[in-house]
Amino acid sequence: MKQILENLYSHKTLDREEAKVILMEIASGKFNSSQIASFMTAFIMRNITLDELMGFRDALLALCIKVDLSEFNPMDVCGTGGDGKNTF
């Protein structure tokens, strides 16, 4: 984590794989809460890059619990009204 923080303090960005690995390591409990807070603080002090965002997305997809709903007939009832039909 020390090297990651030094890179962020130097305004360096993460590539896609680095971002994925960092989020996977955070999720696995490799870092303590102080290290995570330092990472988040340093990270949020600058703009996120597309590669970083894609890496975090890749990690979230790898960590998610997949649910098989194929035996059901599910429907989405949690929309945000973005369909332009004034529904929620």
Side-chain angles (χ1 to χ4, degrees):
M1 179 58 79
K2 183 178 179 180
Q3 186 60 49
I4 296 165
L5 291 174
E6 287 177 8
N7 288 343
L8 292 176
Y9 296 149
S10 299
H11 304 284
K12 295 181 181 172
T13 61
L14 305 171
D15 66 30
R16 185 175 181 166
E17 186 61 25
E18 287 172 323
K20 178 181 178 182
V21 168
I22 290 168
L23 189 54
M24 300 280 287
E25 289 176 341
I26 289 172
S28 74
K30 180 177 180 178
F31 304 116
N32 64 41
S33 58
S34 296
Q35 291 171 312
I36 296 169
S38 295
F39 171 77
M40 295 300 296
T41 301
F43 192 81
I44 202 165
M45 293 176 72
R46 57 176 187 72
N47 293 328
I48 188 170
T49 67
L50 182 57
D51 278 342
E52 292 167 338
L53 188 60
M54 290 188 316
F56 293 147
R57 175 196 169 273
D58 294 343
L60 290 174
L61 288 173
L63 292 166
C64 74
I65 298 171
K66 294 166 180 56
V67 179
D68 180 12
L69 299 174
S70 61
E71 68 180 273
F72 304 102
N73 187 17
M75 64 182 227
D76 180 6
V77 296
C78 299
T80 60
D83 61 2
K85 297 181 180 178
N86 296 322
T87 59
F88 188 16

